[in-house]
Amino acid sequence: MFVPIPYENNLPVHVTICRVKNYPLHCHEDIQIVYVLDGEIDLRLTHTIYRIRKNDIHFIHAGDMHSIEPTDDENLVLMFSIKVTAFEREFPTLVEEIFTTRVKGNVATWKRQIKIRNDIFSVSWELHARKPGFRERVNTVTEDMIRTLYADFRAFRINREEKTFEHVISSADWLTERFSRIIAYLYREYPYRITLGDIAASENINRYHLSHTFALHIGVGFRDFLNMVRAEMSEYELLASDIPISRIANNSGFSDKEHYVKCFTEWFGVPPETYRQKYAGTTIRHSKPRVEILPPEEIGVLLGDDASGPVGPDAIQSIRLSVKGNGAGRTADIPCSALTGPQEDDYAKRSFAACIRALDRIGSGKGSLCVDRIAPYDSVETRDGLFTSHGLPTPMYYLYEFLAHMFDDIINRSRGSIVTVNGVCARGILYKPRGRAAPEYNLSFPGRTGRYVLRLQYLTESGSSISMWRKLCLPDAIIADDFRMIERASYPTTEILPIDDITKFELKHRPENRSIMYFQLDPQHGSY
C-alpha cells in the first residue's frame, strides 16, 4: 500500500494539483502536505477524519495511512511531496518529526501558516515555469519551509475527545525539543520494551516530573500516548495482511492480544478485527484513485503563467475579503515577486499609499469588500506586502487585520468610510481618501441602549515599522532585539473608551493625512 511518489529528474519535491473524487487508503515513504485550494475534503489519517477546508493545509508523515474523500465536487487540492532523503543531511530527524498544522481558533498560528502556503506556491510556480536556475531556487525555498516547520509547528496537544493532534504555541523551545526527541523515539522503538524510567534517565530528569510535564503539555499521559502510537502503527499490517490479531499485537509492542484490542478500540472506535473487515477492501490494493489532474494550461492560469520573473523565496498572494449578506468567504490567487530591503527613500510613503488605494477600491466597490493582490512580502515593483522582506509587519498587514474583523452586513461604504454591523456590534474604518479633503465624521450609534466599549486603533505612516527602521538608520541586517522593538512599537495606537450610555455618545473625528482609524463597538459584558 506504499504508493511511490513520481519525482522527476532528481528533483527533491513533487507537486500535483488535482480534483479528488476518491483516493483510497494508502501511504508514502516520504512526507506530504495537503493544501486545499478550493472546496473541502475529508482526510482520513490513521484513527481520525480531518475536515480540510479551503486554504487549510495538513501535514502527512511518512508511513501514515490516509485516504481522501471529497465533501464538495468542486474541490481543488495541491499535494506537495518532499523527498526526505534529499534533505536528511541538513535535517537528520526529518522523517521522525511530528509536525502539526491543524489550527483551531489560533490566529497566531494561522499567520505563521501564511509563509508555508507561500513557499508551497513559490515551489509550485518554479516547477511549472522551469526558468534557468529553478532547481537551486526549489531547494532553497523547500529548505526554508522545513526550517519554518521545525521552528513553528512541532508543538502540539492531543484533543482526547476528538482524537486529533492540534497545534499549540510552544511555551519554551527547550520543552519542544525534549518532547520531539521523546516522541520520535516512541515512534521508532514502539515494537520493543519502553519504560518511562529509561526515557527519564536518558533526558536526565526525574521520571515523576517527566510523567507530569508530558501529560500537561501533550494532553494525554505517557502510557496512553505510547499505546496510541502502537495501535496507530499496527494499522498497516492489519489492512495489508491476514496475519492473526494476536501476532499483530505482539509485533506492535503489546504484551497480549486483549490489551491490544482494548487500546486499538479506544483510539479507532472499533476492535481491530472489525476495522480490518470494514476497511481492508478500501485500500489502494483493491481500488484505484479517482482524481482529475489539472493540465499544464490550467496550472499556468492558477499559478500565474505570465509572471515576468522567478518567484524567489516568496510569492505574491492575492486575497479577496468578500463581504456579502450570505457570509461568503475569502479566495486566493497567487502570482509571484522578488524581494527588497527597506532603505528606499519613499518606501514608507509608498507602503502607506498602497493601504489608501486598497481602501479607496473597497469604498467605491459594488457589492463586495475586497483588497486585491495583497502580497505576503514587499517586492521591487510594489510596496503592498504584508511584511518587509525581513519579516517586519507593514501598514498593509495591520489594515488586513482590521478588515479581517469586519462583519458581513455593510451599512456604509464610501471613499473615506466603511462601516459594518452584526446586531448591536459595529466595526468600521475612517480615513482620508486620495485627492479629497478629509471630512469630519460624527460617530454615533442610534438604536442601541446600555453600556458599550468602543475600541479605537490608529494606523499612521509615521508609526510604521518602515519609518522607524529609517529613523534609527538601521542596516538591512537587523539584530533580534531591534527587530522585536520595532515590531512592538509599530503596532497601531490603541484607545479604549467605556461608554456608560450609548444613546448620548458622539465622537468627532477628522482623519489626518496618511492615517487610518479602525473602530470596534461591543456591548460591555452583560449589557445587551
Side-chain angles (χ1 to χ4, degrees), residues 362-491:
I362 295 170
S364 59
K366 297 180 180 180
S368 66
L369 175 61
C370 63
V371 176
D372 291 325
R373 302 186 67 81
I374 291 182
Y377 291 85
D378 282 337
S379 68
V380 175
E381 295 81 12
T382 65
R383 296 292 182 267
D384 57 359
L386 299 175
F387 301 94
T388 68
S389 61
H390 301 74
L392 283 171
T394 66
M396 185 64 80
Y397 171 85
Y398 293 114
L399 174 60
Y400 177 55
E401 279 203 333
F402 294 163
L403 291 167
H405 286 88
M406 302 284 267
F407 295 127
D408 290 342
D409 190 2
I410 306 170
I411 63 169
N412 177 277
R413 180 209 299 273
S414 65
R415 291 184 61 193
S417 65
I418 305 164
V419 181
T420 67
V421 296
N422 181 17
V424 296
C425 302
R427 308 282 187 267
I429 292 175
L430 305 178
Y431 69 100
K432 178 186 176 299
R434 291 179 299 165
R436 295 186 183 181
E440 182 174 87
Y441 293 97
N442 295 313
L443 197 59
S444 61
F445 303 96
R448 297 167 175 83
T449 59
R451 302 170 62 191
Y452 281 73
V453 175
L454 182 65
R455 294 171 176 85
L456 306 174
Q457 290 186 282
Y458 300 92
L459 182 62
T460 64
E461 177 189 313
S462 60
S464 71
S465 59
I466 301 163
S467 296
M468 293 181 190
W469 190 307
R470 290 189 53 77
K471 287 175 186 176
L472 294 172
C473 300
L474 292 173
D476 282 344
I478 183 172
I479 63 175
D481 286 345
D482 286 339
F483 183 98
R484 286 192 291 268
M485 176 189 68
I486 294 174
E487 186 177 36
R488 286 194 295 266
S490 66
Y491 193 81

Side-chain angles (χ1 to χ4, degrees), residues 50 211 218 235 295 318 340 438 472 509:
Y50 294 90
S211 176
I218 303 301
E235 184 185 15
S318 307
T340 184
L472 294 172
H509 176 70

Side-chain angles (χ1 to χ4, degrees), residues 62-100:
D64 278 355
M65 293 289 294
H66 62 283
S67 66
I68 298 175
E69 290 284 347
T71 64
D72 189 328
D73 289 339
E74 299 303 316
N75 71 80
L76 189 62
V77 181
L78 188 152
M79 310 283 194
F80 189 90
S81 304
I82 301 175
K83 184 186 291 185
V84 172
T85 55
F87 299 97
E88 62 185 359
R89 177 175 295 182
E90 182 75 17
F91 309 99
T93 64
L94 180 59
V95 73
E96 300 174 342
E97 293 290 346
I98 303 296
F99 299 115
T100 307

Side-chain angles (χ1 to χ4, degrees), residues 350-366:
R350 291 177 62 192
S351 181
F352 205 86
C355 296
I356 301 301
R357 287 196 303 272
L359 288 172
D360 280 349
R361 287 196 297 270
I362 295 170
S364 59
K366 297 180 180 180

Side-chain angles (χ1 to χ4, degrees), residues 259-290:
H259 190 211
Y260 169 54
V261 171
K262 178 183 176 182
C263 294
F264 189 95
T265 304
E266 181 180 355
W267 287 99
F268 284 81
V270 294
E273 189 64 52
T274 304
Y275 190 84
R276 170 183 274 174
Q277 293 170 358
K278 184 175 182 180
Y279 292 108
T282 67
T283 69
I284 202 162
R285 298 171 63 195
H286 300 281
S287 57
K288 293 182 179 180
R290 292 189 294 122

Side-chain angles (χ1 to χ4, degrees), residues 11 67 87 94 125 143 172-173 197 208 275 316-317 430 464 498:
L11 286 167
S67 66
F87 299 97
L94 180 59
W125 189 88
E143 284 185 3
D173 290 343
Y208 298 104
Y275 190 84
I316 289 180
Q317 183 177 13
L430 305 178
S464 71

